[in-house]
Each structure stands twice: as structure tokens, then as C-alpha cells.
């Protein structure tokens, strides 16, 4: 009851009946906007339409639309108010509302129906969909609006649609065509620029994978300038490829520069080594010339020459480890060493006979003295030693002639020089040298004539007095030293805790210091005490020294054995001796020689000279063999250079380069510095060969990728292509030939997948073409169906007793059907038995079913088997297509007759069904 009361007393605009609510709207006051807005969203469209007609404010209607009250009536009312058909809203306000619209459908209707151009343009600005813009450009009634809409179409497809659809506005068509042409021109320009960038990138990448050649840097800089001169912006992928190619090119340039610098450095090191060798040889030759040009050959000169030769040999060997010596320098070095050996051997012969010569001089045995001098075999171009000089003077005096060639003035000048040297020695405090020179000068002056002896004798007397003062001073200084030495040796003799080696070392040092004092402050008691303490030490060290002597003899024998082994090696060197092995033998021999020390002093110099000659010969053998290896490696470098510049395939050149590398390793090592230089050059050439191989592989891989991409594009194109006519077989054959031209594809799973997919696509397209050919045959048959119907009617008339009439042939009947048509007319005039016609018709039906693949009728199996056998027999050597076979069956069907209506009615349904099956195309 309460609900009924509410309905009875409720306002009429809230009545449940829509018609009552619609009528109540007319009674509402226009100020009752809330009720009108509520009714504007009513469920009944008539109520909504009536309420909306009373609302005049588009803002409130737009608010209702946003609040979810959207309806067709609301949209229609908004269009009417905004377009100016209804309401009193002024134009600026409507334009402002149009500019704030966010509903594309409403804006599009406003563009079409607005009463003002500015209003339409304002609404057009709110459209973003290109389809809507194209519709406005084609259908709008205002030219400015059409042109404004067309100006906002950007896509190529949209512009093409404008050209085709905007027929009513030539200006729109013209502008669209111009923009499309500009767009295509810009696209073509961008494509051309992209192609130029791709071409430049291809050249840069090819250059980056190629080896260095003289124009490499110029080509690289040219390509960089070409890249920088392009106006378009490269893509991120292009920029990445460009940077990678530039890095590879710069690496090739830097590697070549490093190679050139290494070669220059090696050449400088070689030149420095040659200059150092030449300086060493010049110094040795200068020293030898100085000995030859001197007046006498003293012990100090020999010692200095030996030290210089030892330093030169060490330095020469170190330089030879880096680079081989020039042949001219080597000959000079050998000549200098031979001259040095000749001088040392002469000196050794003299030292062996020195005591006998001294004894012969003291005894005055001139015959023995002459024999000893003769045995010394002193070289004529070498100045005599002081001992030989004294012996020569003695023999010359006895013979009554001068000891040396030359006159008396030369002897006086030589005496004067010796006096000057004696004075310098006294000034320097060199007592021993001055004492020896003083004694020699006394003998020289004694051999001078009486008339010329006084002046040098007086000067020698004065210098002798200075020598005596120096002797006294040495005695004054040497007295405390002798006392200290005596106390030290006595304390050493009483020391019991020292081992024998240390005791011997200290004893030798004290004895040397005692001997260095000479006769300065000599004292018999001190000498006796020093000698007694030294004897006690000798007694303590007797067994140790005996053991040392045995050890020296053992070391000497071991050194001799070592020399024998090395000489045997040098006498029979291996033809392919490895310089590294020879170097190891040399170094181990040197180490073993050092370990085999000490040796007896009397034999030390002779065995040392022998080992020195062996070392020199071994070093010469090492240098010779290393030179041969260096020359062989230079030959390998030339082979590698010729291989790099050859025209063989890159893969074969790389294999031959690997063979050259194996030969390089088998050769051994050249001199250390030269080995590194040669190896850098050889490796650089091999790197260039391998870079060419990698570039060829990259090119081949790119060709393979291009071939695969082309094959993939062909597959996609043919996959998307569906033949519409049987004549499209030529297009498929061209595609098959194009695919055959892309063979062979690179081995891989992708290629196998492409081949399988391509085979399936070609098979499907050929099947479709075959079905199209069948459909076209059936279609032509259907066009000839009226002729068949005419024959059937004529057959029926003839069988019903009517007059046998020939069916006239159509005007455009093909020759094959014309023959069948004539045969059908002839069969009607002379009909065969009905059973024969029935069998032929049944045979044709089964033949069509066989072509369609229909084997559902088991009763036709014998006939189907007979047809298959007949087809095999007839088609030997030539297999007709299904379309040709179908054409022949249909032609025979036309020629078969006469056919009774009953028989035809029985067979025609199956025939039509079979033909429909044959023409059914597979889905694309």
C-alpha cells in the first residue's frame, strides 16, 4: 500500500509510464534543469529526446556525457547545438567548446555539419585519426576544411587514397599528389643516402679486414671524409658498424706503424752494434799498432793488451748474440786476434827462457845467450822487451856493432827519454818502477861511448840520489809496517780455530804485503821471525796444500778433457747444428770451466789460451750457423711476401703460410736481436695473409648470408603469392629457376629448413595450379553445357520416335569439341547398342571419379582397375596432366551418345558432383 501511495503522489516526470514522463516534460519549468538532466539520461529514447530538446546549454550536456550519460540522442543534441541548427549560443562560444572536445565522433560530425568555417576548422583540430581526416578531405562541403584536413594526412597510403578519393576537389588532389611525390622523392633520397652509407660501410669493413698496402691510409681517410660529407643521420646500427670498421682500420695502421718502427729500431740497433764492433776493433788495432811502433815491449804493455782483448771478446760475443757481424768486420777481428796471439806466443817463448837469459847475462856466456835469443824467435816487427834489449846490447858489444839499427844519436835520444820517464816516476813516488828503470839506465849508459856518456851519467847520478832518498823514506815508513806484519803473522801462526782455506788466504795476503815492502827497512831479525812464522803456517797447511795440488791436477785434467771434447766438436761440426744447442754448450762449458778452478799456475796460462781459442772458434761456428739460419729465414720471409702478393685462393695461401711457420720453427734461432726483427717481419706478413683469409671468409659469409636472405625473400614472396590462373605456371617456373640459381646454399640447419619449406611451397603451388587448370577445363565445359543439353534433347527426341536431327554447332566451338559434336550427331544417326552407351558412360563416370580421387564406390573397383591399366599402357613415354586427361574425358562424354533421359538422370548427379570436387580449390 505505501508503494502504491508513493506512485500515486509522485511527480509525473517520475511516472513509470514513459509516455507520461514524456508528456510531463512539456510542463516542467525550464529552470528545473536537474529534472531535465535526469530525464535526459532516461531509459526511454523518446523521453531522452524530449528532455534534451528542452536543454539549451552545451556545457551541461558535455558534463552529462562525461558522467556516463552518453547516448545517440545526447550526441545528436550536442551536434545540433554546437553546429548552430538549434539554440541561441553565439559562434565564439561554440568555437571555444569545439576546441575543447575530446570525442572524435562528435568532432567529426561537427566538422561535417557545422554552420561556420571557423567552427569546422576548430573541430577539425581535435581530430587525430588519419581515416577521419581522409573522409573530411574527400567529403566535407567547405574547400578550406577539405584542404586543412588533407594537409594533416602524412602517410603514403593516406595520400594515395586522397588522390583516388578526393575527386571533387582538384586542389586537394594536386596537393596530395605533390606531397606524395615529395615524400617518395625524400624516401628515394633517404634510400639512396642509406645505400651510399651501406656502400661506404661495406668498403670500410672490407678495408678493415684486408691487409695493409701503401694506399691503405689514404683510402681510409678518403672513406672517412666521404662518410662525414653525407647529410643524412646514420642509424645506431650503422654508427656501430662504422666505429667497429674504423677501429679495425686504425688497428691495421697502428700495427703497420709499430712494425715499421720495430724494423727501424732493429736497423738502428744493427748499425749501433756495427759501430760498437768497429770501435772495439779500432781500439784493439790501435793498441797493436802502438806496440809495434813502441821502442820496447814492457810487461805492463802485455798485461794491458790482454785485458783489452778480454774485454773486447766479451763485448764482441754480447753483440754477436744480438746481430751477426759484417764479413769485413769479422775479417778485421780475426786478423787482430791473430796478431794478438802472435805477440802473446812470442812473449810466452821469452818468459820460458827469461831465467836462462838472465843467467847467461850474469855469467857472460855469449854463445848460450845467442842460442836463447834465437830460440825466442822474437818477431822482427815487434819492439824488444827490456831483457831482449839488454841481451841484444851485450851481443852487439861483443860483435863490435850496435845492438839496434840506427846511429848513436838514436840511442842517446832513447836514453834521454828513459831519464825523463825515471824523473816522472820519482815525482810520483813509484819506487819499484824507478828502481828497475834506474838499473836499466846504468847498463845503457855503460854501453855508450866515453865521449858521450858524461852528461846522461851526471843526470842519472842526480836521479839516483833522489832514488836513495825515496828508499830511505820508504824504510822510515816501512819500519812500523814490518813490525805490524811480523806480529800479525805470528798471531796467525798461533791461531788454531781458523780453517785451512781462511788460514791460507790470510797468510798469502800477509806475505804479499811483506814482499811489497821490498828491501825498505829490511831487518834480519824481523825477516827471520816472519819466515819462521810463515814456515810454521806452511807446515800446518802441508796436507791441505797437497790436497789442493791434487785438486788442481784433477781440475787441469778435467779442463783438458773439456778442451778435447770441444775441439772434437769443432773438428766435426754437424751440418745442421742448432745454434741454440751450440750456445748452450758454450755457456755450460764456460760454467764448467769456472767450476774447474784452480789449476796449477804453471799450466794455467797455456790451458787458458787453449780454451780461449776454442771459445773463439765455437763462437765463430755459432755465428756461422746463426747466419745460415738468418739467411734461411730471410728466404722464408721472401716466400711469405710472394705468397701474400700471389693470386692463389686465400685459404690455400693461409695453409701455405702455416707450412712456412712450421719450417720457421724447425730452423732454430738466429742471433737474438736479429731473430726478433726477422720474426716480427715474418709474423707481420703471415698476419696479412691470415687477414686476407679472414676477409675472404667474411666476404664468403656475407655472400652466404645474402644468398640465404635472397632465398628467404623468395620463399616469403612465393608463400604469399597465390596463383589465380593456370597460366601463372610461368611465374612459378621463374621462381624455381631463381631458387636454382641461388643453389648451392651454405650447409646448415637453416638451409635444410629453407629447402624443405621451399619444396612444400612449390608442391602446394603446383597442386593449386593443377586444380586451377582443372577448374578452367570444367568452366569451359560448363560454357559448352548448352550444347550437351541440345544433344540430350535431340537424343530423347530420336529415341521417342521423332525425327533424327543434327544439332547445329555454335559459332565459336573449339576444334576438339567440334569433332566430338560431329561424332555425337553421327552416333544419333547410327546409334550403337544401348548397353554399349551405358558402359561407356559408366566408364567415363568412373574415370572422372578416379581423377577426383574418389574411391568410395566399391562396386566400381574392377572398372577402376581396368582404367588404371589402360592409362598406364596408353601413357608410356608421355604422362599427360590431369587437366589434359580431364579434357579428354569430357570430350569423350560429349561424343558419347545417344543417351536416354533415364540413363542421363541416373549418371548426371554423380558426374556433376565429381566435377564440383575437381574444381574445389585448396585454401590459400
Amino acid at each position: 500500500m505505501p508503494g502504491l501511495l508513493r506512485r500515486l503522489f509522485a511527480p509525473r516526470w517520475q511516472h513509470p509510464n514513459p509516455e507520461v514522463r514524456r508528456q510531463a516534460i512539456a510542463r516542467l519549468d525550464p529552470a528545473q534543469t536537474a529534472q531535465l538532466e535526469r530525464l535526459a539520461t532516461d531509459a526511454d529514447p523518446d523521453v531522452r529526446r524530449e528532455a534534451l530538446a528542452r536543454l539549451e546549454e552545451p556545457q551541461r550536456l558535455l558534463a552529462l556525457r562525461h558522467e556516463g550519460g552518453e547516448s545517440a540522442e545526447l550526441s545528436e543534441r550536442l551536434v545540433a547545438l554546437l553546429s548552430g541548427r538549434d539554440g541561441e549560443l553565439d559562434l565564439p562560444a561554440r568555437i571555444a567548446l569545439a576546441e575543447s572536445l575530446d570525442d572524435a565522433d562528435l568532432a567529426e560530425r561537427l566538422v561535417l555539419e557545422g554552420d561556420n568555417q571557423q567552427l569546422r576548422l576548430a573541430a577539425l583540430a581535435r581530430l587525430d585519426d588519419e581515416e577521419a581526416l581522409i573522409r573530411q578531405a574527400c567529403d566535407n562541403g567547405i574547400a578550406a576544411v577539405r584542404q586543412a584536413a588533407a594537409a594533416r594526412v602524412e602517410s603514403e597510403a593516406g595520400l594515395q587514397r586522397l588522390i583516388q578519393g578526393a575527386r571533387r576537389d582538384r586542389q586537394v588532389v594536386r596537393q596530395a599528389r605533390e606531397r606524395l611525390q615529395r615524400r617518395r622523392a625524400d624516401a628515394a633520397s633517404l634510400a639512396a643516402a642509406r645505400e651510399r652509407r651501406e656502400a661506404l660501410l661495406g668498403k670500410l669493413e672490407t678495408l678493415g679486414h684486408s691487409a695493409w698496402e701503401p694506399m691503405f691510409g689514404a683510402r681510409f681517410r678518403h672513406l672517412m671524409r666521404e662518410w662525414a660529407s653525407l647529410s643524412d643521420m646514420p642509424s645506431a646500427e650503422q654508427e656501430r658498424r662504422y666505429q667497429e670498421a674504423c677501429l679495425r682500420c686504425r688497428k691495421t695502421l697502428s700495427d703497420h706503424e709499430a712494425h715499421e718502427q720495430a724494423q727501424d729500431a732493429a736497423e738502428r740497433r744493427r748499425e749501433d752494434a756495427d759501430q760498437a764492433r768497429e770501435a772495439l776493433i779500432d781500439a784493439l788495432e790501435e793498441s797493436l799498432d802502438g806496440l809495434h811502433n813502441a821502442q820496447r815491449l814492457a810487461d805492463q804493455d802485455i798485461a794491458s793488451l790482454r785485458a783489452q782483448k778480454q774485454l773486447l771478446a766479451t763485448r764482441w760475443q754480447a753483440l754477436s748474440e744480438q746481430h751477426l757481424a759484417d764479413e769485413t768486420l769479422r775479417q778485421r777481428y780475426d786478423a787482430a786476434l791473430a796478431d794478438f796471439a802472435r805477440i802473446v806466443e812470442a812473449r810466452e817463448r821469452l818468459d820460458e827462457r827469461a831465467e836462462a837469459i838472465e843467467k847467461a847475462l850474469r855469467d857472460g856466456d855469449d854463445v848460450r845467450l845467442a842460442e836463447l835469443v834465437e830460440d825466442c824467435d822474437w818477431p822482427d816487427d815487434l819492439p824488444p822487451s827490456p831483457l831482449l834489449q839488454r841481451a841484444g846490447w851485450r851481443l852487439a858489444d861483443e860483435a863490435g856493432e850496435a845492438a839496434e839499427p840506427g846511429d848513436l844519436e838514436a840511442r842517446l835520444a832513447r836514453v834521454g827519454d828513459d831519464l825523463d820517464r825515471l824523473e816522472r816516476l820519482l815525482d810520483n813516488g813509484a819506487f819499484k818502477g824507478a828502481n828497475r828503470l834506474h838499473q836499466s839506465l846504468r847498463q845503457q849508459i855503460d854501453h855508450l861511448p866515453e865521449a858521450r856518456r858524461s852528461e846522461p851519467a851526471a843526470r842519472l847520478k842526480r836521479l839516483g840520489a833522489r832514488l836513495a832518498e825515496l828508499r830511505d823514506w820508504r824504510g822510515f815508513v816501512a819500519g812500523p809496517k814490518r813490525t805490524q806484519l811480523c806480529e800479525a803473522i805470528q798471531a796467525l801462526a798461533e791461531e788454531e780455530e781458523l780453517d785451512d782455506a781462511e788460514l791460507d788466504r790470510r797468510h798469502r795476503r800477509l806475505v804479499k804485503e811483506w814482499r811489497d815492502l821490498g828491501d825498505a827497512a829490511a831487518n834480519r831479525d824481523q825477516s827471520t821471525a816472519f819466515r819462521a812464522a810463515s814456515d810454521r803456517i806452511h807446515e800446518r797447511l802441508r796436507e791441505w796444500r797437497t790436497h789442493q795440488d791434487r785438486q788442481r791436477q784433477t781440475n787441469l785434467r778435467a779442463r783438458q778433457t773439456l778442451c778435447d771434447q770441444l775441439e772434437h766438436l769443432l773438428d766435426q761440426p754437424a751440418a745442421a747444428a742448432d745454434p741454440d744447442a751450440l750456445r748452450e754448450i758454450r755457456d755450460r762449458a764456460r760454467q764448467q770451466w769456472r767450476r774447474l778452478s784452480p789449476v796449477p799456475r804453471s799450466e794455467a796460462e797455456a790451458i787458458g789460451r787453449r780454451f780461449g781459442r776454442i771459445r773463439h772458434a765455437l763462437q765463430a761456428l755459432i755465428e756461422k750457423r746463426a747466419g745460415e739460419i738468418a739467411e734461411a729465414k730471410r728466404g722464408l720471409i721472401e716466400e711469405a711476401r710472394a705468397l701474400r702478393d700471389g693470386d692463389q685462393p686465400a685459404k690455400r695461401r693461409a695453409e701455405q703460410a702455416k707450412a712456412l711457420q712450421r719450417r720457421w720453427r724447425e730452423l732454430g734461432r738466429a742471433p737474438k736481436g736479429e731473430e726478433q726483427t726477422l720474426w716480427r717481419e715474418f709474423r707481420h706478413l703471415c698476419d696479412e695473409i691470415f687477414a686476407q683469409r679472414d676477409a675472404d671468409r667474411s666476404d664468403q659469409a656475407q655472400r652466404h648470408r645474402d644468398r640465404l636472405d635472397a632465398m628467404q625473400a623468395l620463399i616469403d614472396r612465393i608463400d604469399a603469392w597465390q596463383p589465380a590462373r593456370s597460366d601463372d605456371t610461368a611465374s612459378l617456373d621463374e621462381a624455381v629457376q631463381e631458387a636454382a640459381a641461388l643453389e648451392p646454399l651454405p650447409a646448415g640447419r637453416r638451409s635444410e629448413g629453407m629447402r624443405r619449406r621451399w619444396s612444400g611451397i612449390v608442391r602446394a603451388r603446383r597442386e593449386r595450379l593443377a586444380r586451377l587448370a582443372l577448374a578452367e577445363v570444367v568452366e569451359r565445359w560448363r560454357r559448352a553445357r548448352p550444347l550437351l543439353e541440345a544433344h540430350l534433347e535431340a537424343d530423347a527426341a530420336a529415341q521417342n520416335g521423332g525425327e533424327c536431327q543434327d544439332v547445329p554447332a555454335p559459332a565459336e566451338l573449339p576444334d576438339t569439341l567440334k569433332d566430338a559434336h560431329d561424332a555425337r550427331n553421327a552416333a544419333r544417326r547410327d546409334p550403337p547398342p544401348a548397353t554399349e552407351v551405358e558402359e561407356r558412360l559408366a566408364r567415363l563416370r568412373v574415370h572422372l571419379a578416379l581423377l577426383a580421387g574418389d574411391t568410395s564406390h566399391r562396386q566400381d573397383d574392377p572398372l577402376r582397375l581396368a582404367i588404371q591399366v589402360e592409362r598406364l599402357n596408353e601413357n608410356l613415354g608421355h604422362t599427360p596432366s590431369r587437366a589434359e586427361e580431364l579434357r579428354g574425358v569430357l570430350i569423350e562424354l560429349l561424343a558419347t551418345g545417344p543417351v536416354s533421359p533415364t540413363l542421363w538422370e541416373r549418371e548426371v548427379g554423380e558426374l556433376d558432383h565429381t566435377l564440383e570436387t575437381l574444381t574445389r580449390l585448396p585454401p590459400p
Side-chain angles (χ1 to χ4, degrees):
M1 187 63 182
L4 178 60
L5 291 176
R6 281 197 302 273
R7 287 196 299 273
L8 289 175
F9 292 99
R12 293 180 64 80
W13 63 272
Q14 293 181 345
H15 198 276
N17 189 349
E19 183 62 25
V20 176
R21 293 198 303 273
R22 186 183 65 78
Q23 295 174 1
I25 291 174
R27 300 187 182 92
L28 288 175
D29 191 308
Q32 294 178 308
T33 56
Q35 289 80 358
L36 291 174
E37 290 176 358
R38 182 174 178 182
L39 291 171
T41 59
D42 195 87
D44 187 73
D46 295 333
V47 175
R48 292 198 303 269
R49 188 179 299 108
E50 194 69 26
L52 288 170
R54 297 289 303 277
L55 293 174
E56 300 289 340
E57 296 182 1
Q59 295 89 342
R60 295 300 305 161
L61 296 180
L62 289 173
L64 283 175
R65 188 182 181 91
H66 290 158
E67 290 172 2
E70 183 177 359
S71 62
E73 293 77 11
L74 179 57
S75 300
E76 188 68 28
R77 181 59 177 167
L78 277 172
V79 170
L81 291 174
L82 292 176
S83 63
R85 291 201 311 267
D86 295 335
E88 300 296 333
L89 194 64
D90 58 352
L91 179 62
R94 286 187 284 132
I95 292 176
L97 289 173
E99 291 176 348
S100 63
L101 288 177
D102 56 359
D103 190 327
D105 296 336
L106 186 59
E108 185 174 0
R109 290 195 60 188
L110 190 58
V111 173
L112 286 172
E113 301 176 14
D115 62 346
N116 184 271
Q117 177 178 317
Q118 295 298 324
L119 178 64
R120 293 193 180 192
L121 291 175
L124 182 67
R126 307 301 297 171
L127 293 179
D128 294 327
D129 184 40
E130 190 173 70
E131 292 292 332
L133 292 173
I134 292 172
R135 287 194 294 270
Q136 296 297 332
C138 294
D139 302 333
N140 202 284
I142 300 178
V145 178
R146 292 196 301 270
Q147 295 171 9
R152 294 179 57 190
V153 176
E154 298 294 339
S155 68
E156 184 174 346
L159 293 173
Q160 188 67 36
R161 289 181 58 188
L162 279 180
I163 294 172
Q164 296 174 357
R167 299 298 183 183
R168 61 185 296 178
D169 196 331
R170 294 182 179 179
Q171 187 173 359
V172 170
V173 174
R174 180 178 55 81
Q175 292 178 354
R177 184 177 291 110
E178 291 176 355
R179 291 175 58 200
L180 181 60
Q181 291 174 354
R182 286 198 302 270
R183 185 180 183 87
R184 288 177 176 175
D186 293 341
S189 177
L190 289 175
R194 194 178 302 110
E195 289 178 0
R196 288 197 299 271
R197 283 198 181 274
E198 286 294 331
L200 284 177
L201 276 176
K203 292 180 181 179
L204 265 175
E205 289 172 345
T206 302
L207 185 64
H209 288 99
S210 61
W212 184 91
E213 43 88 17
M215 295 300 294
F216 189 94
R219 291 173 59 194
F220 176 51
R221 290 188 294 271
H222 172 72
L223 291 176
M224 289 183 64
R225 288 194 298 269
E226 288 289 327
W227 179 272
S229 65
L230 295 178
S231 58
D232 63 311
M233 295 299 295
S235 63
E237 178 65 19
Q238 287 177 334
E239 186 66 26
R240 181 189 64 80
R241 290 172 57 195
Y242 173 73
Q243 295 297 335
E244 290 179 355
C246 288
L247 286 177
R248 285 194 294 268
C249 292
R250 291 191 180 99
K251 183 179 183 301
T252 301
L253 287 174
S254 62
D255 291 345
H256 175 71
E257 291 176 358
H259 176 69
E260 292 294 327
Q261 291 175 1
Q263 284 188 332
D264 294 341
E267 189 63 28
R268 286 194 298 271
R269 286 194 298 269
R270 179 187 291 277
E271 293 177 356
D272 294 341
D274 290 341
Q275 292 177 0
R277 286 193 184 94
E278 190 170 1
L280 292 174
I281 295 175
D282 290 341
L284 182 59
E285 291 176 344
E286 184 178 355
S287 299
L288 292 173
D289 292 340
L291 287 181
H292 287 295
N293 297 326
Q295 295 179 356
R296 286 182 302 173
L297 187 63
D299 295 340
Q300 184 178 1
D301 298 331
I302 295 295
S304 176
L305 184 63
R306 285 176 172 171
Q308 184 180 4
K309 183 263 177 186
Q310 183 66 29
L311 291 175
L312 183 145
T314 303
R315 180 59 178 159
W316 183 277
Q317 180 178 336
L319 292 173
S320 297
E321 290 292 334
Q322 301 296 325
H323 294 284
L324 293 178
D326 182 71
E327 186 62 27
T328 304
L329 293 177
R330 182 72 194 182
Q331 292 176 359
R332 289 178 58 189
Y333 178 65
D334 293 340
L337 289 182
D339 194 11
F340 168 79
R342 186 170 60 88
I343 294 174
V344 171
E345 289 174 357
R347 180 68 186 190
E348 290 174 357
R349 291 193 299 271
L350 176 62
D351 292 341
E352 291 173 358
R353 297 165 176 78
E355 294 183 0
I357 293 175
E358 289 284 355
K359 185 174 183 302
L361 286 173
R362 288 195 301 271
D363 296 343
D365 190 353
D366 296 335
V367 176
R368 177 60 178 166
L369 182 62
E371 292 177 355
L372 291 173
V373 171
E374 182 69 21
D375 292 339
C376 287
D377 192 17
W378 192 259
D380 296 335
D381 58 345
L382 197 65
S385 68
L387 182 60
L388 281 179
Q389 192 177 41
R390 288 164 50 200
W393 289 340
R394 175 64 177 269
L395 293 175
D397 288 343
E398 291 297 327
E401 57 184 8
E404 288 183 355
D407 53 6
L408 181 61
E409 296 298 330
R411 294 176 59 189
L412 289 173
R414 192 158 46 250
V415 170
D417 294 339
D418 289 343
L419 289 172
D420 294 337
R421 189 155 62 91
L422 176 60
E423 187 173 1
R424 288 194 298 271
L425 291 174
L426 291 173
D427 293 339
N428 295 331
F431 175 77
K432 290 184 178 180
N435 189 31
R436 288 195 299 271
L437 186 57
H438 181 267
Q439 294 177 1
S440 176
L441 283 171
R442 287 176 58 187
Q443 295 179 4
Q444 294 182 41
I445 292 175
D446 290 342
H447 288 85
L448 292 176
E450 292 291 339
R452 307 296 300 272
R453 188 185 303 174
S454 58
E455 183 178 353
R459 185 179 178 189
L460 180 62
K461 185 176 181 180
R462 291 193 301 272
L463 295 176
R466 290 183 59 187
L467 182 61
E469 292 177 2
L470 182 60
R471 184 182 294 109
D472 294 341
W473 175 252
R474 288 180 67 251
F476 174 75
V477 175
K481 180 66 175 177
R482 287 187 181 276
T483 302
Q484 180 184 359
L485 290 175
C486 285
E487 293 174 355
I489 198 170
Q490 290 173 358
L492 183 63
E494 296 173 359
E495 182 68 43
E496 299 293 339
E497 296 182 357
L498 291 177
D499 59 0
D500 294 340
E502 182 64 19
L503 179 63
D504 181 70
R505 187 184 66 79
R506 293 188 181 183
H507 175 252
R508 289 179 181 277
R509 179 173 58 80
L510 293 175
V511 171
K512 181 178 182 303
E513 292 178 359
W514 180 272
R515 289 177 179 174
D516 289 341
L517 293 176
D519 56 352
N523 186 309
R524 184 180 295 275
D525 295 336
Q526 288 181 340
S527 299
T528 303
F530 188 89
R531 189 176 298 106
S534 177
D535 291 341
R536 291 201 303 273
I537 293 174
H538 278 295
E539 186 65 26
R540 284 179 57 184
L541 295 175
R542 179 175 299 172
E543 293 183 2
W544 180 79
R545 284 181 174 170
T546 302
H547 174 73
Q548 289 294 106
D549 291 340
R550 289 197 298 269
Q551 185 64 38
R552 285 188 177 91
Q553 293 295 331
T554 302
N555 291 339
L556 177 62
R557 289 192 295 271
R559 282 189 173 185
Q560 290 173 346
T561 302
L562 177 62
C563 290
D564 293 339
Q565 294 173 350
L566 293 176
E567 287 175 346
H568 179 72
L569 173 65
L570 293 173
D571 291 338
Q572 298 177 354
D578 187 5
D580 288 337
L582 295 176
R583 292 186 185 97
E584 186 176 359
I585 292 173
R586 179 199 63 195
D587 296 337
R588 288 187 178 181
R590 187 187 307 163
Q591 295 173 3
Q592 186 176 359
W593 181 270
R594 294 194 184 104
R595 287 196 302 269
L596 298 174
S597 179
V599 295
R601 185 174 300 176
S602 59
E603 303 289 340
E605 188 172 358
I607 194 66
R609 288 195 303 272
R610 181 184 177 187
F611 185 70
R613 289 192 299 270
I614 292 173
R615 281 184 55 193
H616 174 68
L618 183 58
Q619 182 63 33
L621 178 61
I622 292 173
E623 293 179 6
K624 177 184 177 183
R625 182 59 188 149
E628 294 174 354
I629 292 178
E631 191 63 29
K633 289 190 173 182
R634 290 190 189 95
L636 290 181
I637 290 173
E638 293 303 323
E639 291 184 25
R641 183 175 288 107
L643 188 62
R644 181 199 63 182
D645 300 334
D647 55 356
Q648 297 181 2
K651 183 177 181 181
R652 184 176 301 175
R653 280 185 287 169
E655 294 175 354
Q656 294 181 4
K658 291 180 181 179
L660 291 179
Q661 288 179 342
R662 288 192 294 269
R663 289 171 55 190
W664 182 282
R665 288 190 294 268
E666 293 170 357
L667 281 175
R669 186 166 62 91
K672 184 177 180 181
E674 195 163 358
E675 172 71 19
Q676 295 173 354
T677 303
L678 295 173
W679 169 245
R680 278 193 293 267
E681 185 174 1
F682 180 71
R683 186 182 62 184
H684 180 70
L685 293 172
C686 291
D687 289 344
E688 290 182 349
I689 294 173
F690 295 140
Q692 293 173 357
R693 179 200 60 186
D694 295 340
D696 184 72
R697 285 180 177 175
S698 178
D699 294 342
Q700 185 176 6
Q702 184 62 41
R703 290 193 297 272
H704 288 171
R705 287 193 294 270
D706 294 342
R707 187 174 297 176
L708 289 175
D709 293 342
M711 188 65 183
Q712 185 64 48
L714 178 62
I715 289 174
D716 295 339
R717 176 164 59 86
I718 300 303
D719 190 21
W721 171 70
Q722 292 293 335
R725 299 174 55 191
S726 62
D727 295 341
D728 292 339
T729 306
S731 300
L732 182 61
D733 293 338
E734 291 178 0
V736 171
Q737 293 177 1
E738 187 177 349
L742 293 175
E743 290 287 350
L745 294 176
R749 297 176 60 184
R750 183 183 178 189
S751 300
E752 293 299 325
M754 282 184 175
R755 290 191 182 97
R756 288 194 296 270
R757 187 182 176 195
W758 174 250
S759 299
I761 291 172
V762 171
R763 186 168 54 252
R765 296 301 171 269
R766 292 197 184 281
E767 178 66 24
R768 181 175 177 83
L769 287 169
R771 288 295 184 97
L772 286 172
L774 292 175
E776 291 173 359
V777 172
V778 173
E779 182 63 28
R780 287 194 294 270
W781 169 256
R782 286 172 180 170
R783 289 197 297 267
R785 190 67 176 265
L787 178 62
L788 178 62
E789 295 294 338
H791 280 291
L792 290 173
E793 292 177 359
D795 292 345
Q799 290 178 358
N800 290 331
E803 184 181 357
C804 181
Q805 296 181 351
D806 291 341
V807 177
E812 297 180 355
L813 188 65
D815 294 339
T816 54
L817 291 181
K818 190 175 185 306
D819 295 339
H821 167 72
D822 295 339
R824 184 67 174 266
N825 286 331
R828 193 179 304 111
R829 291 190 299 268
D830 186 12
T835 56
E836 182 181 348
V837 173
E838 185 177 357
E839 289 177 1
R840 290 178 62 186
L841 195 60
R843 186 182 184 88
L844 293 174
R845 174 179 55 78
V846 174
H847 200 162
L848 283 176
L850 185 62
L851 290 175
D854 185 7
T855 60
S856 58
H857 299 286
R858 296 295 182 184
Q859 65 275 12
D860 295 332
D861 286 347
L863 189 56
R864 186 181 298 110
L865 180 60
I867 293 172
Q868 289 177 343
V869 172
E870 183 180 349
R871 289 170 65 194
L872 290 174
N873 294 331
E874 291 179 354
N875 297 333
L876 290 175
H878 171 68
T879 303
S881 65
R882 294 173 66 192
E884 293 176 351
E885 197 169 354
L886 176 62
R887 189 181 300 111
V889 171
L890 293 177
I891 291 173
E892 188 175 355
L893 178 61
L894 179 61
T896 301
V899 180
S900 64
T902 304
L903 178 59
W904 181 252
E905 288 297 332
R906 189 174 68 234
E907 299 290 349
V908 68
E910 188 69 25
L911 290 173
D912 288 341
H913 175 71
T914 304
L915 290 176
E916 185 66 27
T917 303
L918 286 171
T919 57
R920 189 179 300 123
L921 294 175

